[in-house]
Structures are given as C-alpha cells and as structure tokens.
Amino acid sequence: MEYFAGTYDVIVIGAGHAGIEACLASARLGCKTAVFTINLDWVGNMPCNPSIGGTSKGHLVREIDALGGEMGKAADKYTLQSRMLNLGKGPAVHSLRAQIDRREYSQGMKHTLELQENLDIRQGEIVDLYKTDNGMWQVKTKLEALFNAKAVIIATGTFLGGRVYIGDVSYESGPDGMFPATELAKALRKLNIPLRRFKTGTPSRVNRQSIDFSNLEEQDGDEETVPFSFDTAEPPKNKVCCHITYSNEKTKQIILDNLDRSPMYSGKIEGKGPRYCPSFEDKIVRFKDKERHQLFIEPCGLETEEMYLQGLSSSLPEDVQLAFIHTIAGLEHAQVMRSAYAIEYDCVDPTALNATLEFNSIDGLYGAGQFNGSSGYEEAAAQGLVAGINAALKIKGEESMILDRGGSYIGTLIDDLVTKGCTDPYRMMTSRSEYRLVLRQDNADVRLTPIGYKIGLISQERYDRFILKEEQVKAERERIENKSIPLTDTLQQIMQKCGTSPLERGCKMIELLKRPQITYKDLTEIDDDRPNLPKAVFEQVEIAVKYEGYIKRQEQQIKEMRRIECKKIPADIDYSSLKGLRLEAIEKLSKIRPENLGQASRISGVNPADIAALNIILETL
C-alpha cells in the first residue's frame, strides 16, 4: 500500500558519479536533499574501468574541484598510481590520469554522503515520477513509498532499461550484475521525454595470481606526482605498477572467426556504442591491417587480486572471450573472474535540456551524466555538479550558473550536448574545445574558483589560499620582468646545454623564459634570489610567458564569442512567426530553444544567413 514518506527540496535518482556530485552540491548549498540508489554498496561504482582522468578528462576533474566538487579530492585519497599524460606535447593537452582503488573509492564516497548535512541517502528503486496538483514532483519507490520534491535530478547512468549482452545470452540487468531500472523508463515516457538506446561495454577481469608478468612491459607512475584537487596538500603516492601487453594475429583470427556470434554484428544490439571507445572486436574489424593492439593490465585495488584488462571490452560469448584472452602474452593461463559484457540502456536526447541541465519544457526536472547521452565518469560528475548547483539555486531564487565554452571544458561539454546533441555516447576530448590553450588543467582554479566561491561551494579559507596564489603569480611575473641577467660564461653554458642560440648581451629573465627550450629549472644556477614558492606558481608564470601571444589571441576570440552570447533570445519567442528564417532553422530553433545568439549559431542546420536574420529580428524586439 502506498504511503507518504517525506518532502525534500531536491531528490536525486542515482548515486553514481553524476548523482554524487548533484546531491552533495544541493545539500552543501542548503537544500534538503535525498539521493536514491538501487544498491547502497555500489555508490560511486566504477563498472567500466578503475581510473579517473586521462586526456581532457583530467581537465574536467580539475574543473569539478575548482568549483567545489568532490571527485578530485576522492581520487587523490584513493590513488594507486598517478601519471601525467601528453607531457611531450604542449600544456593545453597535459592531462592527469590516476589508477584508483575502486572499492575504497566507492566506500569513501558512500561515507562522504552519509556524513553530509542536509542529505539523506537511501536504498530504493524509483519506479514512478510525476507532477502533483500543487506543482511539486512526486517519486514512488518499489516499496510504494511516496516522496515530494521541488526538483528532481535524473542520474541513472546505464541502469535505465539496462540489458546485458554476452554472445547469445541477453538479460535485463544494470552494470556488474545489479538490478536494472525498468519501471522508471516507462514513467519518463509518460512525461514525453525523448528517450533512445545507447550501448557501452566493459572488459573481463582476471585473477592476478594467474598472470605471467615475466614478459610484460612495466608501466610505472610518475616520480613526482600531481594531485587532482587544488586543496590536496600532499601529492598522492604511487602504490602499484601497471603492465602493458599486446594482442597478436592469433587473437585477431579468433575474433574474426566468431564475429557472427557477436550481438553487435548480428543485429541483436540496437543501441549506439561509443565511437571513441569501441569494443575489441570493433577495433579488429575497423583496423584489420593492424598486427597488434596495445592492452593495459591494471589493478582494481590493494585488497583484491582482480586485474582489469583495459582495451579488451567485448560482447562476444564467454568461450570466445576465454579463447582470445589466452592467446595474449602474459594471459595464456589467465583465470577470468568476470566476463566482459555490453550493456544497452535508455538515455535522453540532450537537446531537450538547456544549459542549466533542466528540461526545456518540464519545470524542475534535470538530467545528468550518462542519462544525458555522455560517456565517462568525469563527464558524468561534471554534469551532476552543474545540475545539483542549478537545482539548488533555482529553489533558493538565485541566478542560475551557466558555464560557457570560453571558460571551461564543462561549459563546452554541456553546450555540445544541449546544442548539438549526440548520436552516440559523447566523450570529452581536448579537440572539442576551440579555446583549449586558455582552458588548461593547470589554471582551472583561476577560471572557476571565483565562481565556486560566489555560489557557496568554496570555503573562505580555500578562497584565501587561492587569492594568495594569485598574488604570488603576479609578484613572480613582476620579478622576472625586472630581473636583469648579466652575460656570463655560466649563462652561455646554459644556452648551449638547452640547445638554444647564445646571447650577445645580458637580458631580462623573462626574455630567457620566452625561449621554448628554457625552463625555470634550467635557470636555477643564475637565479640567486628566486623566492620559495609552490611549483604551481612557477608553472603558471612560465606557461603565461611562453605562450603569451597565443593566449592573448584566444582570449580575444573568447571576448568576441561572449559578445555574441550576450544577445539573449526571449524564452517565449515564436520562431514560426519570424520572417527570414528557413524552415529547417525554424524547426531546429523551436526544438532546442537556444538562450542566446551564440548558442543558436552552433545548432546544426542553422546557417549564417539564419543567424543574420535572427540578429536583425532581435534588434527590433
């Protein structure tokens, strides 16, 4: 029998990476919040891979932290191995990646939620969702408890209508053998929410004791590690070694011989899979001429023997998985503990949302994470944070937080989703940002901490430390601008050692640092009055000096972009009544409901002539 169980300001459905950030943000901003999860033992689970960060994803984690989110702090606490990727390239693409103890991370996140003021964490499957006569949202659990809320955030990950595929075997399931959320999908369809099917997958897990490490390449962490969180005092320590192996012609042949048994190729899986993280059989088909593929063997935690085979995602039958795994060096006798699987799930067409992640036509309902068509823990957490913040701000009657493309990767991610949509699971990449030299991971605090402080997620103590760092950067820049370096034999030796042309006279220190071959470290011997400052301060100064011209150019582009973004479009505008717009443009603009001219210009199917006509119309309104 149904019974009324309570009222909240915000209810979050799902306690994965999106749900965690959403409920914490809402509760920390003073809203009475509840988060519901099908299984409390799997809060913050990592069903795909036990790592956080990576190319562009590390940027997202840094930005989440700079705004006051939790993922970066937790990642630092439970890091097993830390590596900075792409150091051979420019600073725009340097990205931190950490191997994480997945069980410790999950337990730690659960405990963080349990300790959070204003937050109730509950095990329960939400089976229905609707608006009441008084305008409140009401959710219903499988145990027939009814809860009211002013706002609801859907963060269901891959649980919504989840179905697992392993060869010919198919069954309703969430990730890692958990229950799926089947009834909720029906409730969302009743609300006319545009759902579609996507697909993702995960590799096998094998027992460490059954791996032959003697012929595998070792992959150590960085000697000098860097934390994700700007608030982490001590950088994490490397505790494990990862390993690299390779597939071979035998591996390839087994897969090609059994493609007809893959549900992806037999047509049983209808959902679109991730373009940039394909299954292993998809790699073999796409790159038939490639003799081998690199694979990574990574630990799932310190207190488990489970090892993750990164790069071997598959939906082939279990017997085929065993056969091809045993052809790989080091895995000849591997004992598979968990078979790889593909999972198909329901998600929303994100163009039904606006930049706050609230539905355009459904007041008080928000979407976050894989429900919005994205892939990845980091993308999910970023959206959860934005949805949680905006739900709380709306309830408090305060102005929404909208991050634009020029200020963050999070803004780029959300703008891409709600403006352009996605036909397959969206993955963040540095190439998606046209302003990536400005949106580096090292300056995420400069870009976003003032916003987090204004909202109320950054403490005064942390903000004061941020201001101190800014003052140190400014003072150090002034010092090197004024410091004269005389021409000496020692200086010329440094020039020669660094492979740069010799000097004809002395110069300011800033002129030396402008040279791409020279770093602060190279100038230590002649920089006798260098202040004792954190490494991050020198990093900020050096990047700003070396890339000054490029950075100024991008900042000018951002300024122009924001000028166009300032041209707001009335929310109730009737595009069908406007003259000068093509039919396709009217259709796309009416569906997406862009908030400004800049967003309208990025909609596929809206051309420059439409924007020019719309601009003229807006001038007359």
Side-chain angles (χ1 to χ4, degrees), residues 62-312:
R62 279 287 184 88
E63 292 182 352
I64 290 165
D65 179 74
L67 283 168
E70 194 67 25
M71 178 175 266
K73 295 185 183 69
D76 290 341
K77 193 172 182 180
Y78 305 113
T79 287
L80 296 176
Q81 187 194 82
S82 177
R83 294 172 59 236
M84 188 69 76
L85 307 183
N86 303 323
L87 285 178
K89 301 177 181 179
V93 295
H94 293 175
S95 296
L96 185 60
R97 182 186 188 270
Q99 197 67 25
I100 303 295
D101 191 317
R102 70 185 294 242
R103 291 272 55 84
E104 289 293 320
Y105 184 94
S106 175
Q107 292 171 17
M109 277 298 201
K110 176 174 178 280
H111 198 210
T112 297
L113 299 191
E114 292 168 340
L115 294 173
Q116 180 59 50
E117 186 181 357
N118 295 325
L119 178 61
D120 290 346
I121 173 172
R122 305 181 67 108
Q123 180 166 298
E125 179 185 347
I126 302 299
V127 297
D128 208 353
L129 170 70
Y130 42 82
K131 271 283 185 78
T132 61
D133 292 339
N134 62 5
M136 293 281 281
W137 282 99
Q138 188 164 86
V139 303
K140 178 183 175 182
T141 72
K142 199 160 192 172
L143 300 181
E144 299 192 314
L146 302 176
F147 296 87
N148 284 353
K150 297 173 184 174
V152 173
I153 300 171
I154 304 171
T156 47
T158 60
F159 283 81
L160 195 65
R163 175 170 285 274
V164 160
Y165 292 86
I166 305 175
D168 295 328
V169 178
S170 171
Y171 52 91
E172 291 185 347
S173 177
D176 281 341
M178 300 218 293
F179 292 117
T182 53
E183 296 300 315
L184 181 58
K186 298 175 184 176
L188 296 180
R189 287 189 174 91
K190 289 180 187 176
L191 295 171
N192 293 320
I193 288 175
L195 297 180
R196 68 267 187 88
R197 298 289 277 177
F198 274 1
K199 186 241 8 156
T200 189
T202 189
S204 308
R205 266 69 161 176
V206 302
N207 193 314
R208 184 198 312 263
Q209 302 303 312
S210 65
I211 299 174
D212 179 4
F213 290 97
S214 60
N215 293 320
L216 301 184
E217 296 179 24
E218 292 189 354
Q219 186 180 55
D220 295 317
D222 293 339
E223 286 187 18
E224 189 174 350
T225 63
V226 177
F228 278 110
S229 176
F230 293 94
D231 223 17
T232 298
E234 292 293 326
K237 292 181 171 58
N238 291 312
K239 303 170 185 174
V240 299
C241 177
C242 297
H243 293 81
I244 298 173
T245 187
Y246 298 88
S247 65
N248 52 55
E249 288 294 335
K250 287 183 180 179
T251 320
K252 181 198 295 186
Q253 196 58 52
I254 289 173
I255 288 175
L256 291 175
D257 289 344
N258 289 277
L259 275 181
D260 61 318
R261 300 182 66 192
S262 167
M264 190 172 72
Y265 285 92
S266 66
K268 290 183 179 178
I269 293 180
E270 298 175 3
K272 279 276 191 175
R275 185 182 311 176
Y276 300 103
C277 188
S279 67
F280 190 59
E281 53 262 37
D282 201 20
K283 288 182 193 175
I284 295 297
V285 171
R286 282 200 219 172
F287 309 105
K288 281 185 180 179
D289 296 334
K290 194 167 184 178
E291 293 182 4
R292 66 178 191 170
H293 292 269
Q294 190 177 51
L295 308 168
F296 299 86
I297 302 177
E298 302 170 331
C300 291
L302 293 178
E303 301 300 323
T304 178
E305 297 304 306
E306 276 192 82
M307 302 292 284
Y308 170 78
L309 306 182
Q310 186 192 154
L312 274 182

Side-chain angles (χ1 to χ4, degrees), residues 489-503 511-526 530 542 546:
D489 290 343
T490 301
L491 177 58
Q492 296 290 45
Q493 289 169 7
I494 291 172
M495 298 293 102
Q496 184 178 11
K497 182 181 178 182
C498 292
T500 186
S501 57
L503 294 169
E511 297 303 320
L512 296 176
L513 279 175
K514 283 181 179 179
R515 297 195 177 199
Q517 304 91 340
I518 295 178
T519 67
Y520 259 105
K521 185 178 180 181
D522 298 321
L523 300 177
T524 301
E525 190 176 353
I526 58 173
R530 182 178 299 176
E542 186 170 329
K546 278 184 164 48

